[in-house]
Structures are given as structure tokens and as C-alpha cells.
Amino acid sequence: MSYGIYVGRNHSADGHAWLAGYGDEPSSHWLEIAPRAQHPAGASIAVGVSANADLPGLRSTIPQVPQTLRHLRVSYSYYLGVPAPITNGGLNEHGVAVRDIWSSSRKELIEMTPPDQCGPNYSDLARLVLERARNAREGVDLIAMLIAEHGYSCYGGNSHIIADPEEAWVVIEFSGARKLWVAERLGPDSIRASRPGYIGIVPDCPSDDFLFPDHFISFAIDQGWYDPAQGPFDVNAVYGDGKGRWEGVAWVEDAMRQRAARPEKIGLHDMIWAIATERLTGDTAGYGQVVPLVHPSHDALRVMWHAPVGAVTAPLVPVFMGMTEIPLEYGMHRYLTTGESARFLDPRHAGQNADTISHVPQGAEVTQSAVAVYKRLMHLAFQMPEPLLGETYAHWRRAERFFEIELRDVTKTAEILLAQNEDRLARRLLTLQSSLWLQNALQEALILADAAEKRVRNNGALNLSALPMKPVQIW
């Protein structure tokens, strides 16, 4: 289902906006840097879903642009048959951040979806915005253009939050292959959580704060789903699940408004809390991201805080746009990667079926999988929440405060190097320092997990039933 939360700059202790969230997917996740790339004239890319998807469709191609932008993203290997690798978003070199969040369409729209649906899917849209958009509004316009020209492939409806340092937009894409979408602008006074993506009442025609295609309202009238005489157009009631704002969304938005009302307003650790609290985050949260929406002195200094699993038992660690590589431990591994159970690190069967060879390089597979290590720690803590969960949570929140302090010095040092045109040295510094933070945290997780297993075993608390233990969550 996924979760995203945006906080406008007027609520921020540091005077800038924030975007944070996680994705709910059971398959493997890995952090990666997509470099800026040049593409030849006439190049194209494959988009959409296949006949194997839960809502089947046809793969198609769309034109590639001459240059795609550098960005940080988390990829994963499976969701409802959507072709891998899949992404829910990240951060690009222009400071555009994207979060993908499920948003169910009206039942009749889902039933209208033809088996030959085509056009970009939700992951394609998130990736294309990261690759092409220089600000949030460009991202909205890009999605609108792609749907109008190529259609939209869905698994039941979806949404995105697209944000930059000036504003953010919630964009909802609907099932049915009728090219229906809507976008709402979020500004400096906004606090908006999405789970699912939600837009309420919109005006009769597009405005500075609401965008939608010309047929958006007339289609609903034609279907008998909306009568203008009965009141304003409520997007959720007409095209969505009809449930309004979900309980968990109301809870976290209210909690963040209370924090925003304090003299100190909202800072990094409030944003971390919003995606790490055990009320919202458990095993289904595949990773965590927090993005400060700023324009630093150099694009290389843009930061995305990243957790390899749900941050309830893992730290968020700053990674830089200017990094040249990600530690192998945080990259792709065979653990929970769809299809790897039928593949070998052995080429002898390749002549019969090339897909019998693992997609993971042997050199990467022999490193520790950060996702596997932190998942182990998570489920140890969940089996003995008192005191393990509280201790683990507190440990990582202290680590993040240390990273925050060190981040200031590292950023300042890199700024000095960049001002002297020492780009290579600056990128080397950013790569080494972030890699050190990531690797040190992983070593701590290994130690904590080994100690936690002994405590759980010694207390006779290993849960061998068919029902996993977890915190009480609001969703």
C-alpha cells in the first residue's frame, strides 16, 4: 500500500519542506544511484504491465528523452506482477522527490480496465518523473502528458506525491483506461499524509491548486456517478474508495500538527518519528526515506535519509546525490528477490534457459545483505517487545542524532572542495563518509541481532507458532 507524508516549510524548524515515506512490498529492496545519461535520437523505453500482472495488459514503448537526470532511488523485485525492477520514487539532482502510494479506484473503474491496457505503470511514472522533471509541477505535467498520449497501466489505481523545495502535488491516477487523473497542490502550510492517496472536493474546472483533464467531471456525469445538483465534486466519493480520510492518516496528520504548533516546530527527528513509530511501521514497510527539500549550494550535496527496512528497528542514514557508489551490502541480493529461488550462481544450464543464472553478481551475493540483517533484528525485537523493541528503537534514534551532527561537518567540507572545483575529491569524500555510516550501522545491527537472539532464546520467547508477533498498528 505504501505511505507518504509531506510537511510544508512554514511548519519546519529549518525553514524548508520535507517528504518522507515507505513502500509496502514483500520482495527484496535495494538502494541505487542512477547516473545522468545521454540517449541517442529515436531511442525508446518499454513501459506498462504484461499478461502476467494481476490486472493484465500489454507492454509498449514510449520515446526516450535525449538526457535523463541523476537520481537516488530504492528498487524492488515484485508487486502484483508488475515487471521488475520497480521503484516507488526517490530524489533527483534538481531536488524533485517522489513517493508512490496506492490509491484504490472505484470498483466499476477497475472492472472497466481492459486486458490490453497499455501505457506507463505506477513505477514507470515515478521513475520517469525522477529522470525528467526539474520541479514538481513539471512532474505533474509529465504524468498528464504521458497518460494523454500513451495511456496508463494500473493494478487498481495509484497516486504519487511529487515535491520540490517550493511546493508539492498529490497526483492520483485511476483505473479503467479512461485517462482519468487529478492533482492537488500542497503549499507551505500543508501537512498531508497519503495512505491511500486521497483528494477530496475539487472545483468545476482546473485552477492554480487543482489540475485534471477536460473530461474528468463530465465522464462521471455520463456514468451516472455524479450529479452537479447534489453538491461539489468529491474525488474520493466519485472515483475513489469512498472511505474519505483513513484513520491512520488522520492520526499521524493530527500528531504532526501538534508538533508543528510547538515553538521548535518540526525537524528531522519528527519526520523520522512519522515513518518509524511502531503505530505505523512494521514488517510490511520495505524501507524508509526522509528527504529535506532544499536547494544546497551544489546538487551533489542533496541528501536522502535511507533505511533498508522499516525504520521501527533500523536507522535512517544520510546518502548523497554526489556519491559515486553504494556499498554492496545495501545493493541487490538474492534474499527475497523474486525468481531467484529458481536460479543458480552457476552457468551450466544457461544454454537451455538463460534465466537460470542469478541476476545478482557473485561478488555482491557474498556480502552481507543489509535487508536480511535488519529484518532479522526486526523480528527478534518483535518477539520480545519489552524491552528489545524499545531498546532497539532508542538505539537507532541516538545514531541518527550522531549522523545529523556529522552531516554538517561533512557537508561543509564538501562545499569547500566544490567551491575550489575539486569535484572528484568532494564526491570521494561524500562516498566514503556515507558508506562508513552505512557500514558501521550494519555492523551494529549484526551485534544487536546476535545479542537479541541470545536474550530471546534464554527467555524462551522464540515464537514458533504460525502467527507472527508484531506491534499494534493503526493500519
Side-chain angles (χ1 to χ4, degrees):
M1 290 173 61
S2 303
Y3 160 48
I5 183 166
Y6 172 81
V7 173
R9 64 174 178 268
N10 288 351
H11 298 300
S12 171
D14 299 310
H16 62 73
W18 297 89
L19 182 64
Y22 59 68
D24 275 325
E25 303 89 20
S27 68
S28 60
H29 291 76
W30 59 93
L31 178 65
E32 58 187 358
I33 302 168
R36 188 187 303 174
Q38 306 295 323
H39 305 282
S44 63
I45 55 174
V47 297
V49 298
S50 69
N52 296 323
D54 281 30
L55 277 183
L58 301 176
R59 295 287 278 171
S60 60
T61 60
I62 65 172
Q64 179 59 286
V65 293
Q67 177 179 272
T68 49
L69 302 172
R70 182 180 185 84
H71 58 277
L72 294 164
R73 67 189 183 204
V74 171
S75 293
Y76 56 104
S77 63
Y78 181 81
Y79 191 69
L80 297 180
V82 175
I86 311 170
T87 185
N88 279 348
L91 174 68
N92 78 12
E93 61 181 284
H94 287 290
V96 177
V98 182
R99 296 281 342 123
D100 170 272
I101 300 109
W102 163 84
S103 182
S104 182
S105 295
R106 183 185 183 107
K107 178 175 178 287
E108 291 90 338
L109 282 173
I110 296 173
E111 292 172 347
M112 285 181 186
T113 305
D116 61 349
Q117 64 170 330
C118 62
N121 63 51
Y122 73 96
S123 169
D124 295 325
L125 294 177
R127 188 188 70 255
L128 290 165
V129 170
L130 290 174
E131 290 180 343
R132 302 182 182 188
R134 294 168 296 178
N135 56 57
R137 176 57 189 269
E138 276 194 8
V140 179
D141 292 342
L142 174 64
I143 288 176
M145 180 273 291
L146 290 167
I147 292 175
E149 293 186 6
H150 305 286
Y152 170 61
S153 297
C154 77
Y155 60 84
N158 216 73
S159 77
H160 296 85
I161 301 178
I162 308 173
D164 65 27
E166 304 305 320
E167 64 181 7
W169 290 82
V170 176
V171 188
I172 301 179
E173 306 92 18
F174 297 94
S175 299
R178 297 307 194 270
K179 300 184 178 181
L180 295 169
W181 60 270
V182 62
E184 178 185 0
R185 181 181 177 273
L186 308 178
D189 294 314
S190 298
I191 294 178
R192 173 67 69 87
S194 284
R195 184 184 172 99
Y198 167 84
I199 292 176
I201 292 173
V202 299
D204 294 337
C205 57
S207 66
D208 289 343
D209 294 325
F210 293 95
L211 300 171
F212 42 83
D214 292 341
H215 66 295
F216 187 70
I217 293 176
S218 62
F219 180 80
I221 295 173
D222 293 343
Q223 295 297 313
W225 300 340
Y226 171 62
D227 180 354
Q230 295 180 348
F233 192 94
D234 184 323
V235 174
N236 180 259
V238 176
Y239 284 140
D241 63 11
K243 297 179 180 179
R245 196 169 65 138
W246 281 25
E247 178 187 359
V249 167
W251 180 82
V252 70
E253 286 182 349
D254 291 346
M256 293 299 274
R257 288 195 181 95
Q258 292 174 23
R259 290 173 180 241
R262 304 169 307 181
E264 64 269 30
K265 298 187 177 180
I266 288 174
L268 169 66
H269 301 283
D270 298 298
M271 296 303 300
I272 290 173
W273 171 85
I275 65 164
T277 170
E278 71 276 8
R279 291 292 305 278
L280 305 179
T281 304
D283 179 70
T284 64
Y287 57 94
Q289 290 178 0
V290 174
V291 177
L293 295 164
V294 297
H295 284 311
S297 60
H298 194 286
D299 290 340
L301 302 177
R302 297 191 188 281
V303 168
M304 181 175 78
W305 292 72
H306 167 73
V309 302
V312 62
T313 54
L316 287 129
V317 180
V319 294
F320 296 97
M321 188 65 62
M323 293 174 66
T324 57
E325 60 183 2
I326 300 295
L328 290 172
E329 288 81 356
Y330 289 81
M332 188 178 183
H333 285 73
R334 302 183 76 188
Y335 174 73
L336 293 181
T337 296
T338 300
E340 285 296 315
S341 62
R343 300 185 184 117
F344 302 93
L345 284 168
D346 186 326
R348 286 177 295 170
H349 301 287
Q352 301 171 356
N353 183 357
D355 199 39
T356 61
I357 301 177
S358 174
H359 295 177
V360 181
Q362 190 175 41
E365 182 61 16
V366 300
T367 66
Q368 293 277 0
S369 164
V371 172
V373 170
Y374 283 107
K375 280 285 188 180
R376 177 187 176 215
L377 178 59
M378 173 183 286
H379 289 290
L380 285 162
F382 285 179
Q383 288 177 85
M384 205 164 80
E386 294 295 337
L388 278 181
L389 181 56
E391 290 176 358
T392 304
Y393 186 94
H395 177 83
W396 294 130
R397 305 297 79 90
R398 287 191 297 269
E400 289 152 356
R401 293 188 181 277
F402 170 77
F403 299 147
E404 184 182 27
I405 294 168
E406 288 227 313
L407 179 61
R408 298 172 194 147
D409 288 346
V410 174
T411 301
K412 183 63 176 178
T413 305
E415 277 184 320
I416 294 170
L417 291 169
L418 290 164
Q420 297 298 317
N421 296 317
E422 295 286 359
D423 286 32
R424 184 187 66 83
L425 293 178
R427 293 180 186 279
R428 185 165 184 256
L429 168 68
L430 298 176
T431 303
L432 290 173
Q433 186 59 67
S434 185
S435 297
L436 181 64
W437 292 329
L438 289 165
Q439 297 285 39
N440 285 350
L442 182 59
Q443 292 306 308
E444 289 181 26
L446 285 163
I447 293 168
L448 290 172
D450 285 344
E453 183 178 346
K454 289 181 173 61
R455 293 170 70 180
V456 171
R457 285 180 176 274
N458 289 341
N459 279 273
L462 276 179
N463 176 24
L464 300 179
S465 74
L467 186 64
M469 299 175 65
K470 66 180 184 65
V472 176
Q473 289 183 244
I474 201 167
W475 53 38

